[in-house]
Amino acid sequence: MTTSVPAPRIPEAVHRRRWAILGVLMLSLLIVVLDNSILNVAIKTIATPAPTGLGATQSEIEWAINSYTLVFAGLLFTAGLIGDRLGRKKVLLGGLVVFGIGSALAAESGSPAQLITYRAVMALGAAFVMPATLAVLMNVFERSEQPKAIGIWAGGVGLAIAIGPITGGALLDHFWWGSVFLINVPIVVIAVALMVWLVPDSRDPKPGRLDPVGVVLSVLGLVLLVYGIIKGGELADFTDAKVLATIIGGVVVLIAFIVYEKRSDHPSLDVTYFRDKVFSAAMAAIALVFFALMGVTFFGVFYTQSVRGYSPLESGLLMLPLAAAQMIFAPRARLLVDRFGNKATTTAGMLLIAATLAAFAAFEADTPIWLLEVVFFLMGTGMAHIMTPTSVVIMQALPREKAGSASALSNTFRQVGGALGIAVLGSVLATSYRGGIEDRLGALPPGLRDTAGESIEATLGIAEKLGPRGQALVTPAYDAFLHAMHVTALWGTGVALAGAVVVAVFLPGRPPAGQSGEREPELIATGD
């Protein structure tokens, strides 16, 4: 009896250049992810008054980060549906062009408001790039090679985390702050040229309908919620009527979004996925770990640059152990899962994250810097043993046909968790700092007191302008910031411990058996 061998699903012309295509997809992914890690080391410079920076307040810096994150997260699902309908290559090219234009505009921003706006434009392009890269990858590799290709694709995130701060620091050492955005433009030009030449187009024969109402509700709800949290931190008063109204309004709109999606016959977010407790727990773990880590990264930059006096490049190099640990342990985390199970591995990772966050509560202005390096390495190790197991759980919880939706959901929860981490923990930092410094600002003119109390950079900037009279503010500013950092680190620790409880209760103790008989999604490939 002869056994029929299924014909290759991928055209031979595409199969021959699959690794070159993966390289182009990696380049596209790299600039989208790298942009945020570059921005982290530029925060202090952008907060510095003109002409060195833009004189951005802490809340404006948070919005420069969150405008990107929220637009990106809110549009992921719609971008995926448009790619299914029009062709993944087309939306990839369009997304890259928009991202490049936004980068050029951001580099020439003349005010924090312009920077926030152009960052949102960049996010509009990025939202179309991220899901399309994975969709193209799945359509140029045979199933037997897909795990290896996806592993390399995912490794691009660790690579971007590693080189982003160093690249940003090197640029800031030699050029003006806008160079951290302008660097994207030549990379976009190269990626677009290679994509036109190498990457085949593909589309889904049964694309879903667009969901404009759901997109508007999700973006509006998130913006209202995060704006209210940031405003509360800026005012140091979360009981302010406008703050409460904005936060409550955001929660109401998000509830309306969930209700609408549940009743819609073409939802951008299928809420029935969350009936699976394991799936929901994995999503919660991703959101919580990025909530804690993004908040710590936010104040960590001010600690290394403002308090410890490191340059942007040196600050970027200090982050290397975190990225190196992720690159070392993420591909190997499955070995621990195979031996101990998802529950034990992920819970241990969350507890390690909690311990490293708690360590920040003990850091002072003269703490040996090697201790910070050890903490960063352990933090990256913990993150690697959270992201790999939870990603596997998420992908296994849904049928293979829904792999794109699972990937989009994972990215969205990561982005939204990070945005809320910056908003909430940034607000805790701002509130604590203002409380610690305001008693020392009485000698300043009334018009300068509010500005000086917003952040350590604002206080130090005003102290420098005042000359010898302002020197009395420097030490109190350091003390107030360190106290605020300790308080914020403990909040982050609490969030990480909550994540540990969630995964310990709901994740499976052993990896589920491999699923058999899974159906490959039908795809239509067009062109070479």
Side-chain angles (χ1 to χ4, degrees):
M1 184 178 68
T2 59
T3 303
S4 61
V5 178
R9 191 172 62 92
I10 309 302
E12 179 60 26
V14 174
H15 181 74
R16 283 199 306 268
R17 60 176 188 256
R18 64 196 184 283
W19 296 109
I21 292 170
L22 178 60
V24 178
L25 298 177
M26 289 282 291
L27 186 62
S28 305
L29 176 70
L30 188 68
I31 58 170
V32 171
V33 177
L34 181 141
D35 180 73
N36 269 339
S37 58
I38 278 184
L39 182 61
N40 283 337
V41 297
I43 286 173
K44 179 180 180 293
T45 306
I46 292 172
T48 305
T52 302
L54 292 177
T57 65
Q58 183 158 310
S59 62
E60 287 170 337
I61 291 172
E62 289 172 8
W63 270 106
I65 297 170
N66 285 334
S67 64
Y68 183 97
T69 304
L70 293 176
V71 171
F72 179 87
L75 294 178
L76 262 177
F77 297 105
T78 296
L81 290 173
I82 292 175
D84 289 343
R85 177 168 296 192
L86 299 182
R88 282 70 179 257
K89 179 177 180 177
K90 295 183 182 68
V91 300
L92 245 178
L93 289 170
L96 281 172
V97 169
V98 171
F99 185 85
I101 292 172
S103 297
L105 292 172
E108 299 298 329
S109 297
S111 68
Q114 288 183 2
L115 178 61
I116 291 167
T117 301
Y118 296 141
R119 287 275 297 163
V121 173
M122 293 170 66
L124 175 63
F128 286 85
V129 172
M130 179 71 84
T133 55
L134 186 56
V136 171
L137 182 154
M138 297 295 285
N139 202 40
V140 299
F141 283 90
E142 296 288 356
R143 182 172 177 179
S144 60
E145 287 186 320
Q146 285 175 0
K148 181 179 180 181
I150 292 172
I152 296 172
W153 179 88
V157 176
L159 180 64
I161 292 173
I163 69 175
I166 299 170
T167 304
L171 288 170
L172 291 173
D173 269 5
H174 295 91
F175 306 101
W176 95 114
W177 64 267
S179 61
V180 301
F181 300 112
L182 198 60
I183 189 66
N184 294 331
V185 176
I187 301 176
V188 165
V189 171
I190 294 170
V192 167
L194 290 173
M195 196 167 294
V196 170
W197 177 35
L198 290 171
V199 177
D201 203 358
S202 63
R203 60 183 174 86
D204 194 318
K206 299 176 182 179
R209 291 163 56 195
L210 301 183
D211 180 25
V213 175
V215 170
V216 171
L217 287 174
S218 64
V219 173
L220 179 62
L222 288 168
V223 168
L224 285 172
L225 177 64
V226 175
Y227 177 80
I229 293 170
I230 292 175
K231 196 66 179 176
E234 187 180 328
L235 298 174
D237 182 11
F238 281 88
T239 62
D240 180 85
K242 290 182 180 178
V243 172
L244 283 175
T246 308
I247 292 175
I248 293 171
V251 171
V252 169
V253 172
L254 288 175
I255 291 173
F257 165 71
I258 293 171
V259 172
Y260 177 83
E261 295 297 284
K262 193 173 182 179
R263 296 178 178 178
S264 174
D265 59 356
H266 58 283
S268 57
L269 172 59
D270 189 345
V271 295
T272 61
Y273 295 159
F274 292 93
R275 292 175 181 170
D276 185 331
K277 292 181 179 179
V278 172
F279 178 84
S280 297
M283 284 294 185
I286 286 177
L288 289 171
V289 73
F290 272 89
F291 179 102
L293 285 173
M294 288 299 288
V296 169
T297 302
F298 185 76
F299 69 66
V301 170
F302 287 101
Y303 173 70
T304 56
Q305 294 186 34
S306 298
V307 176
R308 302 303 298 261
Y310 288 98
S311 70
L313 176 58
E314 291 168 337
S315 182
L317 290 170
L318 288 175
M319 297 292 290
L320 267 179
L322 190 150
Q326 290 185 68
M327 295 179 69
I328 292 168
F329 293 111
R332 296 169 173 80
R334 287 295 298 158
L335 299 176
L336 286 182
V337 172
D338 290 342
R339 182 169 182 178
F340 300 108
N342 283 303
K343 184 194 295 286
T345 303
T346 309
T347 302
M350 292 297 285
L351 290 174
L352 184 56
I353 290 290
T356 56
L357 293 175
F360 273 94
F363 282 3
E364 300 292 346
D366 57 353
T367 298
I369 205 64
W370 65 265
L371 286 176
L372 178 66
E373 297 296 86
V374 170
V375 167
F376 276 148
F377 186 82
L378 293 175
M379 189 176 288
T381 303
M383 190 174 178
H385 289 92
I386 296 166
M387 297 308 298
T388 299
T390 53
S391 296
V392 171
V393 166
I394 289 167
M395 299 307 289
Q396 289 180 341
L398 301 182
R400 183 171 292 274
E401 299 93 311
K402 301 295 184 181
S405 296
S407 176
L409 276 171
S410 175
N411 272 310
T412 299
F413 270 69
R414 177 170 61 86
Q415 293 289 335
V416 173
L420 290 177
I422 291 169
V424 174
L425 296 184
S427 296
V428 171
L429 184 72
T431 303
S432 299
Y433 180 78
R434 183 182 292 272
I437 195 67
E438 60 185 355
D439 290 344
R440 311 301 291 266
L441 302 177
L444 294 178
L448 292 180
R449 290 175 194 167
D450 284 343
T451 302
E454 285 185 355
S455 68
I456 184 173
E457 278 307 306
T459 307
L460 295 177
I462 289 174
E464 186 176 352
K465 286 183 178 180
L466 292 175
R469 291 190 303 127
Q471 288 303 305
L473 290 176
V474 174
T475 299
Y478 289 158
D479 292 341
F481 176 82
L482 287 170
H483 172 72
M485 184 181 80
H486 296 163
V487 172
T488 308
L490 291 177
W491 275 65
T493 302
V495 171
L497 289 174
V501 172
V502 169
V503 297
V505 172
F506 294 109
L507 284 190
R510 293 288 175 183
Q515 298 177 6
S516 60
E518 291 177 319
R519 180 172 58 87
E520 285 281 0
E522 182 185 1
L523 297 167
I524 292 179
T526 60
D528 288 339

